Amino acid sequence: MQIVPVLPSQNIDRDVAWYLRHVGFELVHKDSMYAVLKRDKLYMHLQWHADTDDDPLLGGSVIKIFVKSIKSFFEEFVKRGTVNQDKLRLKTDWNTNEFGFYDLNKNAIFFVEDVA
């Protein structure tokens, strides 16, 4: 079984380029309305939205990617310029290490390591 997030996009070409550069995903498929991205065994889809009442763009989408060793991911995203050095939260009250960022459409993406 697998679940794949589909995040809203206002500009497929722009957003695919951002995910390739800033998050390290690879392009699997792209047309003017939809894209499929992959990194390791993770897949994420982007779907174009018109940003109208009937087809809203922004809705507060959030994804969490659980990893075993967060420091290597954090260092990678600092080097990519995706996050600042001060964004890593260690030993949170809910027993995680984590960091997060927003894509160009204000979708929140968090990397989380359980430390319990």
Side-chain angles (χ1 to χ4, degrees), residues 93-110:
D93 292 341
W94 43 94
N95 296 316
T96 65
N97 296 327
E98 58 186 64
F99 69 93
F101 51 88
Y102 292 95
D103 73 4
L104 299 173
N105 297 293
K106 304 294 185 218
N107 296 305
I109 301 165
F110 287 92

Side-chain angles (χ1 to χ4, degrees), residues 9 11-18 30-32:
S9 170
N11 182 317
I12 294 292
D13 290 333
R14 176 198 70 187
D15 296 340
V16 164
W18 188 87
K30 180 176 75 70
D31 60 36
S32 63

Side-chain angles (χ1 to χ4, degrees), residues 2-61:
Q2 183 181 20
I3 189 166
V4 177
V6 179
L7 299 179
S9 170
Q10 191 172 35
N11 182 317
I12 294 292
D13 290 333
R14 176 198 70 187
D15 296 340
V16 164
W18 188 87
Y19 273 95
L20 297 179
R21 179 176 180 191
H22 291 282
V23 191
F25 275 85
E26 299 174 26
L27 181 62
V28 174
H29 166 79
K30 180 176 75 70
D31 60 36
S32 63
M33 304 285 282
Y34 205 86
V36 177
L37 303 169
K38 166 186 166 187
R39 178 176 172 150
D40 301 322
K41 295 180 181 180
L42 302 176
Y43 284 85
M44 185 171 61
H45 297 193
L46 300 173
Q47 183 174 17
W48 181 83
H49 289 270
D51 200 15
T52 64
D53 289 341
D54 292 334
D55 188 19
L57 174 67
L58 302 178
S61 298

